[in-house]
């Protein structure tokens, strides 16, 4: 062995690979820190396996902003001269892989032997000084800029272990900032078993205390302290919000993951998606954003889990969506649902805060799972004409019926509902309509949607009238294609409502010749075959309210007056429908003319 | 025409117009539809439509309605319910309002596909005509080209023109490739694989699947897994097939794939790769039920056929016949039988040819009921039926048969079994309870009322009548009809005065309805009838407290062994423990407030609410038992307070609450203020903490960054206390403080304009809100 540095060419086409690495494999530079700490960790594991002498495994990371360097020192196995060539110069030949092949690598993280290359992505030069436990009297200094060539020279033997010094690129100088590195280590390396120190070994390890789920009940007997540890740990990972409460993830429900889930303490809209899940595999973070592990409805949740059964993709920045992934997703879903149920039962104050913060998102969630619906049916609020109300509160006001407006039934709908004097659910707002429907299916009662056949039947109770009254009504209100329905409904101040029949309208439109010009013959044939199966209804129904004093007065008036009165009421009907001509059958201008004419006639006849 | 280009432009336009929510929904609605996130889609659909209409964009309206139909019809197969909407949308998308809409083609497809799902083979010609008509109007550059071609190939396959279907797909793929779109064998993967499997060419199907890129969405992923399982199953690679077939749980939202799954699962079961048992039978029956209910008749028929076939394989005669009956019921709903009728007849003959089950029976029905059954409910059903032939009147066997049917997913038949037994044995009380309970559980309230009404009309035995009344009351309560429930419970109590649950429920309904005298009388009788103290005593104390009948309160408290102060007269404990009480506010929100307990079922609220919120401080309330929260864990003993539901406010606090704000004076002066206010019966509740800061009002301290610890407190004053007196105390105690406090609300109430103006000015200097 000479003192002269050897210059060696690496055995692969690095420039191409580095481009790929830099661009695709590692989208974030901090991954380099993760990879090198992982190498340091694996080196300690290797020494535990191979070297029988006692040693204290530890990793020390030193960031020097003035020098623009980052150093990762370990007390692991170190490398011999031969190993340097074999493992640092050959992509895919990491020692970790070999140990694993021999079935020895349960505590190991690395998989691909390419972690070291990430150092080149962020550095101008990488220097590695090492002393192997096999040759404790001989040290080596490896040095390379860019990785295509490297030199190895003898170096005074030091403590057994390895130090990797990165002389950082200008672009990645942030990695020499101790605070930034500390935060990185806290997140990326918090699950590694060996102590990791920042700057020097006397500083408290950054990966202590261990995550709460690794602490036994004996270590932390107080539930309150456990709760606080959970919240503290969660706030390290939740970037946008404070965590409001946490749920422990434990193996079960077909999944093997352990960890924490939490609810965020920030208000959300129905479809806000702030899900985030950090995933650790064999102690190393492999994904910061495995949001798909949480159900789509859980837009207000975050989590950290460790699950060695999950499989990272080659870049180790994401997870393969395989059977283990789906099993873990199911496990987290169940954990979340059980956690919410426990919260509701045992911590009313926090539960109410969760409900208040995430009312809208939870409306959507309740639709996805019947257990959530059972939990939330009584406590979530839906938007109504009288502010946000829970459904039990609405039913206290409107009896067994819950009225919903979707604006589909034409202009009369809003007026009728407003006149009813009960809260009306605003069905066009997020989740309000399906949540209300599901609530009523569950708890009983009826949903009343105007414009639907069922809704109309609920609102307008058909009334028996004598043949003479019916004749009178026909004479006063009959129109072509409109069915007169004598009925009784609230409020009595509303004498008549006209509701279009959508199926009848469709049938009529498709039957017209002009439809042939608009729609292809084959599909129109199918459409006509379908509408032929629909019952033949009038295109609209005019519900005449026999409880209305105005209508009663018209019926009691002498024929001429009655005619004028009926015209007045019809015009009123048009005007309250706010110009929705589909619902009223006449234009607003005609209505106004009719109103003026009838009023003039009434006043002049009263003289 | 590139529809996605139009979608992107629409998103941009919406954002530019400040319609960010609309933009978000344009992007996300298709994702929810294709990923089977149906609940999310349903949650946003009315909103999306309203936003499209508000933006006066008929094209976007068509777009959202189209995606809704994709979810409703193409994924969930809700044909019956949504066919009208599909027809309406067809009409609307081709109307003047939506003229030129790029999605009018898709809408045509939505409508035509309703028929494919209703009865694919029955509508082959019509579907082909519709698809060809549309294809003649577009070219391969339209995204719809793929969908319509898929539909055309499916129609050909439904017409058993499999080779033609494959050739057609080749032609369409060539057109796509020459238009520079798509990868070979990728676009029509599902259709192609399906057809290859039908043709008995699993190897090719598997090769295609393995060479394919990532699936576009969750539904496609499931479809591929099912196809893969079937191909592997056909090739005899059973372990791999079992591994890859999705579980029934994963299949739940993907109704469009039920038929495919049934076929694959059936194949694996037949080959012994998974159990051919009652669990598979129940899963398939659930799938069949869902499809039949939605109107996907041919697919439902196919699953019933699969069930029959599997039942024949495992020689389950009863199930096979059940499946045949289902197929027969579906037949008339098909447009054309196309051999389905022959198929049913043959299957029925095969089922009938199986030997009748003759399970060995023990000596007594009870021994049978005690037996552990390994074969699950399917086998048990045969045993119970055989046993019933031997012991026809045994109520336990009837119930067991009903339970077996329920476990098999056949609740309607379970009802039928119970009903038939009752028709023969009207006095079978357990069967009656079971049936009424089943009706209630399935919310078949009309059936419940009809049966209970018949029983009452017949004037049968007291037990049956009482049972009928109880369930009628439950049905009324399920529909929020307390008066109707009370009528039934009163009749029940008259029939059977020994029913404590009925007595208690009736008393609480009477109390809730304000009929306090009736409730108390009933509870007095109950206390005499049931000497053992219990829930009737608690309810009696609630009612008696509401009525100031203290002797009854004291009597029940004594019976329960509860200490109450004094010998007679009102019960009011000045030193009761701290508890919490729950109010349900007008808007339905719950307020849990601290209170001091003043009697066994009474408390006085301590918590003070912020102005503008419902105020309960000082309210004297009556609550019921039991508490709403569980007892404390041993380590929480010291911190635990019971939480009780408030039933009524007996005496409203009517306290006036105002805010007291400014710079925190320090602990001692604050304590002095608190003491002085307590002297006039006013209470202070400090709401601010160390994170609350205000500015200094002093000119010499008006420098940037100088902030002082702030105080935000609420003061509650009982109605009998003079507000002017409180004002005087405040002025007196705070006189001479370096930083004066501000109480704007109180001054406004007192009409002290001058002082109010001064306080307002000060508040501004402190930088206070409002």
């Amino acid at each position: 062995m000479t003192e002269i540095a050897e210059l060696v060419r690496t055995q692969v086409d690095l420039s191409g690979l580095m481009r790929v690495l830099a661009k695709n494999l590692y989208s974030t530079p901090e991954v380099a820190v993760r990879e090198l700490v992982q190498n340091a960790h694996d080196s300690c594991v290797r020494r535990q396996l191979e070297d029988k002498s006692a040693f204290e495994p530890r990793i020390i990371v030193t960031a020097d902003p003035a020098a623009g360097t980052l150093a990762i020192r370990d007390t692991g196995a170190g490398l011999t001269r031969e190993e340097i060539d074999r493992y640092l110069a050959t992509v895919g030949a990491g020692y970790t892989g070999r140990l694993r092949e021999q079935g020895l690598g349960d505590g190991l993280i690395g998989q691909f032997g390419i972690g070291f290359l990430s150092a080149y992505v962020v550095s101008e030069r990488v220097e590695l000084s090492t002393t192997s436990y096999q040759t404790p009297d001989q040290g080596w200094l490896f040095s390379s800029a860019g990785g295509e060539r490297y030199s190895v020279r003898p170096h005074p033997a030091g403590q057994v272990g390895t130090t990797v010094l990165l002389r950082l690129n200008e672009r990645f100088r942030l990695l020499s900032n101790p605070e930034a590195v500390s935060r990185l280590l806290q997140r990326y390396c918090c699950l590694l078993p060996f102590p990791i120190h920042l700057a020097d070994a006397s500083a408290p390890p950054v990966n202590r205390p261990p995550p709460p789920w690794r602490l036994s009940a004996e270590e932390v007997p107080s539930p309150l302290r456990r709760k606080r540890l959970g919240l503290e740990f969660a706030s390290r990972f939740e970037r946008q919000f404070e965590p409001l409460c946490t749920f422990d993830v434990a193996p079960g429900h077909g999944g093997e993951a352990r960890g924490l889930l939490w609810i965020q303490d920030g208000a959300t809209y129905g479809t806000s998606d702030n899900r985030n899940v950090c995933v650790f595999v064999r102690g190393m973070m492999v994904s910061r954003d495995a949001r798909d592990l949480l159900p789509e409805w859980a837009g207000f949740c975050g989590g950290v889990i460790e699950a060695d059964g999950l499989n990272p993709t080659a870049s180790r920045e994401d997870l393969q969506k395989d059977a283990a992934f789906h099993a873990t997703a199911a496990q987290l879903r169940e954990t979340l649902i059980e956690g919410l149920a426990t919260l509701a039962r045992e911590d009313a104050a926090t539960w109410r805060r969760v409900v208040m913060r995430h009312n809208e998102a939870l409306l959507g969630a309740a639709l996805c799972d019947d257990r959530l619906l059972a939990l939330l049916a009584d406590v979530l609020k839906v938007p109504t004409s009288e502010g946000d109300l829970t459904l039990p509160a609405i039913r206290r006001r409107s009896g067994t019926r819950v009225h919903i407006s979707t604006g589909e039934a034409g202009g009369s709908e809003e007026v009728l509902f407003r006149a009813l004097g009960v809260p009306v659910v605003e069905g066009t707002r997020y989740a309000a309509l399906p949540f209300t429907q599901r609530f009523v299916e569950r708890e009983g009662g009826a949903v009343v949607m105007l414009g639907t056949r069922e809704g109309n039947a609920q609102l307008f109770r058909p009334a028996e009238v004598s043949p003479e009254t019916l004749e009178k009504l026909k004479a006063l209100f009959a129109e072509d294609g409109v069915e007169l329905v004598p009925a009784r409904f609230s409020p009595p101040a509303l004498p008549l409502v006209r509701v279009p029949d959508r199926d009848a309208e469709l049938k009529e439109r498709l039957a017209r010749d002009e439809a042939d010009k608009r729609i292809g013959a084959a599909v129109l044939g199918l459409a006509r075959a379908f509408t032929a199966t629909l019952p033949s209804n009038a295109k609209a129904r005019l519900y005449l309210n026999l409880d209305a004093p105005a209508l009663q007065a018209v019926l009691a008036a002498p024929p001429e007056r009655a005619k004028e009165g009926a015209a007045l009421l019809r015009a009123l009907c048009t005007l309250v429908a706010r110009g929705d001509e589909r619902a009223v059958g006449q234009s607003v201008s005609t209505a106004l003319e009719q109103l003026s004419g009838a009023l003039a006639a009434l006043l002049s006849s009263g003289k | 025409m590139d529809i996605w280009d139009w979608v992107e432009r629409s998103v941009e336009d919406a954002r530019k117009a400040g319609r960010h929510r609309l933009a978000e929904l344009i992007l996300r609605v298709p994702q929810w539809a294709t990923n089977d996130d149906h609940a999310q889609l349903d949650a946003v659909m009315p909103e999306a439509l309203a936003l499209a209409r508000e933006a006066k964009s008929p094209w976007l309206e068509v777009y959202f309605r189209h995606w809704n139909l994709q979810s409703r019809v193409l994924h969930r197969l809700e044909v019956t319910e949504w066919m009208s909407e599909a027809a309406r949308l067809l009409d609307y998308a081709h109307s003047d309002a939506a003229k030129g809409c790029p999605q009018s083609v898709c809408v045509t497809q939505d409508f035509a596909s309703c028929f494919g799902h209703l009865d694919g083979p029955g509508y082959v010609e019509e579907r082909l005509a519709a698809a060809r008509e549309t294809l003649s109007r577009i070219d391969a550059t339209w995204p719809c080209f793929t969908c319509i071609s898929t539909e055309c190939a499916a129609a050909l396959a439904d017409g058993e023109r499999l080779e033609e279907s494959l050739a057609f797909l080749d032609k369409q793929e060539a057109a796509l490739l020459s238009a520079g779109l798509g990868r070979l064998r990728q676009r029509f993967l599902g259709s192609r694989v399906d057809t290859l499997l039908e043709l008995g060419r699993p190897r090719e199907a598997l090769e295609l699947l393995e060479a394919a890129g990532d699936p576009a969405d969750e539904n496609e992923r499931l479809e591929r897994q099912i196809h893969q399982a079937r191909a592997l199953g056909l090739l005899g690679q059973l372990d791999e097939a079992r591994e890859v077939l999705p579980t029934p749980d994963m299949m739940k939202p993907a109704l469009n794939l039920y038929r495919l799954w049934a076929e694959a699962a059936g194949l694996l079961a037949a080959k012994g790769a998974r159990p051919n048992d009652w669990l598979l039978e129940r899963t398939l029956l659930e799938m069949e039920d869902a499809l039949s209910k939605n109107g996907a008749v041919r697919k439902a028929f196919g699953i019933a056929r699969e069930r029959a076939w599997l039942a024949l394989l495992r020689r389950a005669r009863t199930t096979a016949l059940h499946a045949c009956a289902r197929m027969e019921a579906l037949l008339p709903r098909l447009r054309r039988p196309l051999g389905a009728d022959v198929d049913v007849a043959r299957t029925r003959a095969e089922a009938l040819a199986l030997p009748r089950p003759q399970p060995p029976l023990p000596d007594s029905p009870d021994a049978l009921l005690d037996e552990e059954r390994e074969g699950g409910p399917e086998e048990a059903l045969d045993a119970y039926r055989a046993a019933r032939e031997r012991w026809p009147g045994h109520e336990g066997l009837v119930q067991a048969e009903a339970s077996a049917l329920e476990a098999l997913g056949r609740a309607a038949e379970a009802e039928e079994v119970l009903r038939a037994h009752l028709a023969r044995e009207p006095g079978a009380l357990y069967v009656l309870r079971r049936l009424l309970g089943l009706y209630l559980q399935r919310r078949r309230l009309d059936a419940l009322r009809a049966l209970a009404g018949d029983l009452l009309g017949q004037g049968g035995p007291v037990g049956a009548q009482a049972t009928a009344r109880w369930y009628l009351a439950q049905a009324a309560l399920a529909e929020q009809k307390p008066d109707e429930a009370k009528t039934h419970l009163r009749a029940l109590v008259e029939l059977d005065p020994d029913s404590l649950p009925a007595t208690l429920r009736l008393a609480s309904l009477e109390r809730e309805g304000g009929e306090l005298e009736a409730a108390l009388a009933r509870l007095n009788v109950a206390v005499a009838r049931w000497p053992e103290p219990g829930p009737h005593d608690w309810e009696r104390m609630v009612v008696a407290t509401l009525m100031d009948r203290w002797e009854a309160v004291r009597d029940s408290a004594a019976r329960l062994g509860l200490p109450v102060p004094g010998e007679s007269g009102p019960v009011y404990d000045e030193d009761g423990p701290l508890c919490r009480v729950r109010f349900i506010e007008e808007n339905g929100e719950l307020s849990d407030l601290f209170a001091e307990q003043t009697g066994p079922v009474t408390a006085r609220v301590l918590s003070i609410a912020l102005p503008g919120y419902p105020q309960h401080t000082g309210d004297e309330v009556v609550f019921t038992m039991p508490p709403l929260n569980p007892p404390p864990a041993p380590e929480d003993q010291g911190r635990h307070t019971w939480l009780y539901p408030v039933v009524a406010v007996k005496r409203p606090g009517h306290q006036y609450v105002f805010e007291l704000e400014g710079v925190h004076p320090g602990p001692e002066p604050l304590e002095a203020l608190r003491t002085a206010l307590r002297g006039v019966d006013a209470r202070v509740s400090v709401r601010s903490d160390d994170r609350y800061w205000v500015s200094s009002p002093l000119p010499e301290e008006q420098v940037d960054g100088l902030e002082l610890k702030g105080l935000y407190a609420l003061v509650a004053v009982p109605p009998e206390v003079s507000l002017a007196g409180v004002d005087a105390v405040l002025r007196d105690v705070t006189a001479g403080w370096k930083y004066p406090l501000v109480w704007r609300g109180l001054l406004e109430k007192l009409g002290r304009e001058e002082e109010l103006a001064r306080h307002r000015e000060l508040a501004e200097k402190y930088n206070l809100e409002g």
Side-chain angles (χ1 to χ4, degrees), chain A residues 491-513:
Chain A
L494 197 61
L496 68 175
V497 173
R498 182 181 155 126
V499 184
D501 184 297
R502 298 199 299 164
D503 282 347
E505 282 179 341
L506 175 71
K507 200 168 180 169
E508 191 202 319
R509 285 172 58 85
L510 289 178
R512 282 185 217 148
D513 289 344

Side-chain angles (χ1 to χ4, degrees), chain A residues 271 352 381 395 400 509, chain B residues 21 43 91 479-480 589-590:
Chain A
T271 50
R352 287 179 48 207
K381 288 190 277 185
R395 289 215 303 199
T400 52
R509 285 172 58 85
Chain B
R21 177 73 176 153
D91 174 55
E479 289 190 316
Q480 314 271 321
E589 262 181 35
L590 308 177

Side-chain angles (χ1 to χ4, degrees), chain A residues 519-527, chain B residues 111 125-131 133 137:
Chain A
I519 305 170
V523 76
L524 186 60
L526 277 174
Chain B
F111 181 65
E125 292 310 324
E126 291 85 347
R127 287 163 62 206
L128 281 176
E133 184 176 76
R137 285 199 228 147

Side-chain angles (χ1 to χ4, degrees), chain B residues 290-330:
Chain B
L291 296 185
S292 165
K293 181 172 148 258
N294 286 0
V297 183
R298 180 71 68 171
K299 289 195 169 81
F301 184 89
I303 295 184
R305 176 77 192 77
E306 198 72 38
R307 286 178 50 224
W309 180 65
L310 289 168
L312 288 174
L313 277 182
R314 63 176 184 271
R315 305 182 72 73
R317 188 179 191 267
T318 316
T319 304
L321 288 172
H322 177 265
C324 287
R326 286 300 192 86
M327 287 159 78
E328 283 152 3
L330 288 164

Side-chain angles (χ1 to χ4, degrees), chain B residues 218-510:
Chain B
E218 189 57 20
N219 197 267
E220 194 181 331
R221 191 179 67 80
L222 287 173
E223 185 190 27
R224 285 194 197 178
Q225 281 181 251
I226 299 168
H227 275 143
Q228 211 171 349
R230 196 167 155 219
L232 288 164
L234 288 168
L235 290 167
Q237 292 168 251
L238 299 180
D239 287 341
E240 288 163 88
R242 181 179 45 232
E243 196 64 21
V244 78
L245 185 72
T247 62
D249 194 39
M250 290 158 86
M251 289 300 301
K252 232 167 212 159
L255 278 85
N256 60 331
L257 302 176
Y258 280 6
R259 173 83 181 90
L260 275 189
W261 188 89
E263 219 162 334
L267 174 74
L268 298 190
K271 293 200 167 204
R274 58 174 295 148
N276 177 11
D277 60 3
W278 70 275
L279 280 167
L280 179 59
E281 153 62 18
R282 194 182 60 187
T283 302
L284 292 178
L285 179 59
E286 279 167 6
M287 290 181 165
E288 181 201 311
D289 276 340
L291 296 185
S292 165
K293 181 172 148 258
N294 286 0
V297 183
R298 180 71 68 171
K299 289 195 169 81
F301 184 89
I303 295 184
R305 176 77 192 77
E306 198 72 38
R307 286 178 50 224
W309 180 65
L310 289 168
L312 288 174
L313 277 182
R314 63 176 184 271
R315 305 182 72 73
R317 188 179 191 267
T318 316
T319 304
L321 288 172
H322 177 265
C324 287
R326 286 300 192 86
M327 287 159 78
E328 283 152 3
L330 288 164
L331 266 182
R333 293 170 64 195
L334 292 171
R335 185 176 194 219
R336 297 192 180 95
L338 301 171
D341 44 353
V342 181
D343 204 8
V344 183
R346 194 177 48 233
T347 312
R348 180 172 277 285
E350 283 176 45
L352 288 170
L354 285 177
R356 273 179 168 278
Q358 286 176 317
L361 291 178
D363 295 339
S364 73
D366 291 332
L368 179 70
L369 292 172
D370 287 342
E371 270 177 22
E372 300 246 328
R373 312 212 70 85
E374 279 175 13
E378 188 178 53
E379 189 203 288
L381 183 64
D382 287 336
Y384 297 139
R385 284 188 174 166
R388 284 190 61 203
E389 281 179 22
R390 189 187 297 177
W391 299 290
H394 195 277
E395 277 195 54
L397 288 174
V398 180
Q399 291 197 68
E401 184 183 342
S403 300
L405 284 165
E406 259 193 286
L408 286 167
R410 289 153 60 176
E413 282 172 79
E415 283 180 4
E416 194 44 53
V417 165
L418 297 167
R419 205 163 32 225
H421 183 81
L422 271 179
R424 287 192 302 274
E425 307 271 347
L429 207 53
Y430 289 107
V431 172
L432 174 65
R433 280 191 198 136
R434 184 67 202 278
L435 179 56
L436 289 169
L438 196 57
Y439 283 147
L440 190 65
Q441 180 196 326
R442 300 183 70 209
R443 290 198 77 85
R444 302 229 304 121
L445 301 184
D446 287 343
L448 186 154
R449 289 204 171 94
L451 174 64
D454 283 351
L455 284 167
L456 294 177
Q458 289 156 9
V462 169
Q465 290 202 43
T467 303
R469 289 291 186 187
W470 175 256
Y471 280 98
L472 283 169
Q474 298 305 315
L477 289 174
E479 289 190 316
Q480 314 271 321
K481 294 174 178 165
D483 287 337
E484 195 183 308
K486 277 188 278 189
T487 308
H488 294 301
L489 289 171
R490 282 190 189 116
L492 197 171
V493 171
E494 220 155 275
L495 278 168
D496 177 11
D498 281 330
S499 172
L500 180 59
T503 305
L504 275 176
R505 192 73 191 92
L506 178 55
S508 65
L509 285 173
E510 283 170 337

Side-chain angles (χ1 to χ4, degrees), chain B residues 155-202:
Chain B
L156 288 168
D158 277 341
E160 296 183 1
R161 291 148 70 176
L162 298 173
E163 294 288 358
E164 195 183 337
S165 174
L166 274 187
F168 173 76
L169 288 176
D170 286 342
K171 190 180 115 213
Q172 299 307 89
E173 194 163 63
L176 277 170
L177 291 172
S178 62
L181 295 162
R183 270 172 43 203
L184 195 61
R185 301 288 187 258
Q186 178 80 22
R187 279 294 177 109
F188 301 110
L189 185 71
S191 313
R192 198 184 286 280
V193 167
D194 216 21
T195 312
L196 285 171
L197 289 171
E198 284 301 309
L199 282 166
R201 288 153 63 180

Side-chain angles (χ1 to χ4, degrees), chain A residues 376-448:
Chain A
L376 294 160
D378 286 351
V379 295
L380 292 181
K381 288 190 277 185
V382 291
T384 78
S385 52
E386 299 183 14
D388 293 349
L389 301 173
T390 63
L391 281 156
I394 294 172
R395 289 215 303 199
R396 276 201 294 281
R397 293 275 310 280
S398 61
T400 52
R401 294 174 181 176
V402 182
H403 301 83
I404 305 187
S405 145
T406 58
E408 294 265 354
S412 316
E413 178 186 292
E414 198 190 328
V415 173
L416 173 67
F417 276 166
R418 205 183 288 171
L420 278 175
V422 294
V424 176
V425 175
E426 290 174 13
T428 54
R429 297 270 301 276
Y430 177 74
L433 171 65
F435 181 79
T436 304
Q437 286 171 326
R438 297 288 297 278
F439 176 91
V440 170
E441 272 167 32
R442 211 187 114 79
E443 308 281 328
V447 161
V448 182

